[in-house]
Every structure is written in structure tokens, then in C-alpha cells.
Amino acid sequence: MAIGDMPAGIALEDVTKVYVAGATNVVALDGASCRISAGKFTAIVGPSGSGKTTLLNLIGGIDEPTSGRVIVGDRDIWGLSDDDLSRFRRTEIGFVFQFFNLLSGLTAEENVALPLLLDGHSMKGCFERARALLEMVGLEDRRGHLPDQLSGGESQRVAIARALAADPPNILADEPTGNLDTTASEQVLGLLRRTVDELNRTLIVVTHNDSVAALADEVITLSDGVLTTRAGSSGSLKPA
């Protein structure tokens, strides 16, 4: 089904994703259609195996749909060339993972600067940006520490700073509090909320935690690969 004329930051149109596992086809998403508003915090909720991470990876340009369209801004990202898709991932998407994915041999500052260094920016500019972001997440005094010298909450705040390094309009977070205690979770969620309220980012968070979803502006619920509800506290997410 077509999404219609209502503008959306991100849209899925009849998206199906099937994984082949030997002689078995696993349907991770089955004809999903939805709109995700730009500049909002959207939570994707559902039990394990419901297709949440698959949906996130399709939006982030990691997994390609079996059929259907994934539109970010005004482009079907799976119609892009390989070079343009790679550029899209580097410049328009910031990823935050449950287990942080920091490089163990690099300091916090180096982990944040690395995406910019790999994209060819000047070393001075990269480290100035990294220091500013670490200050924003409250870790300026930890910038010289290696990941194994940081707590889980500190590591996730470094990961958020890294996700913001290239100034992407979209932040995708997969269970960002799943490996944290209550206090660290609250700090991380506060930071993620700030990326929406103060930096005007579009934030999409995969979670199984109802308390995380309660902070979202919009909620997408998945069950067995089927998008079953689209509702949020703002009431702005409508059926496709």
C-alpha cells in the first residue's frame, strides 16, 4: 500500500524481509508499512524475534528488503548506488548498539573521532569535535580512558557521542539500555531524549522495555514480523 502524500522523515512501504536458513524461509517482516516523523523519538517494541532489529537495520541501510521500499527523507535508499548507500550510512545515520561496539585499543576521544577521520576530515577538526561531544555527554574528563576503564553507562555515552560525530539527522539505537543498570539507563535515555529535543534529530529506539517506550513520542509495535499497532503519546503516528 502507498503511504500517501503526508510528509514523513522515514517511511516503509509494504516491506517484507525473508531470511533463508537452509531449507527454511524465515519471515522477519511481512508487508510492513509505516511513517516515522522527522524530529521525533520513535520506539519500536515487541518480543524477541518479532522483527524489531530487522526493521532498524533496513532503515539504517544494513539489511536490504526482500520487497517493498524504505524511504529516508525523499529517497528510496535501496535504489541508491553502492557508493551513495555507503555515504548515506556514514553521513545520515548514527548507530548506538546494546554492547557499545567501542574499539578496545582506542581511547574514548579516539573512538568518537574515528568516523570523522575515516571520512577524511582533518585530524584537528576531528578531535575538536570529539572533545565537544564528550563534553556534551558529560565525559570530558574521561576522554583519555580506554573502554575497559569505563563503566557500562560511560561506554554507552561515548557511543552516543560517536553516533553524533558526523552530525547525522537520524539516530538508530538497538536496545541501548539493555546492558545497563537503572541509574545508567536513565542517564542514557536522558541523553537520547536531548538529541531530539535540543538537536532536532530523528531518534528510533528498539526496546522491549515499556519504561523506555513510555518516553517516546511515537510507538511502533511488532509481533511475528507484522506491524500491529502504530500509536504514541503524541498521537501523531497514523495508520499507513
Side-chain angles (χ1 to χ4, degrees), residues 1-60:
M1 68 180 68
I3 292 297
D5 296 328
M6 182 178 177
I10 297 169
L12 275 68
E13 296 185 349
D14 276 335
V15 171
T16 294
K17 178 62 180 179
V18 179
Y19 295 101
V20 178
T24 304
N25 289 340
V26 178
V27 180
L29 284 176
D30 189 6
S33 294
C34 69
R35 292 182 296 264
I36 296 172
S37 301
K40 298 285 188 179
F41 176 175
T42 297
I44 302 173
V45 301
S48 296
S50 61
K52 303 188 302 298
T53 296
T54 295
L55 179 55
L56 202 70
N57 288 343
L58 290 168
I59 293 169

Side-chain angles (χ1 to χ4, degrees), residues 9-12 55-65 69-95 115 119 163 166-172 202 204:
I10 297 169
L12 275 68
L55 179 55
L56 202 70
N57 288 343
L58 290 168
I59 293 169
I62 295 174
D63 281 346
E64 183 174 3
R69 301 203 304 161
V70 179
I71 300 167
V72 181
D74 59 356
R75 296 174 299 170
D76 179 359
I77 63 171
W78 290 104
L80 298 175
S81 67
D82 289 345
D83 286 347
D84 285 343
L85 184 59
S86 178
R87 187 176 302 108
F88 163 80
R89 294 190 198 102
R90 292 198 313 271
T91 62
E92 297 190 36
I93 300 291
F95 290 99
D119 211 29
D167 202 25
N170 307 292
I171 304 297
L172 309 184
T202 299
I204 305 174

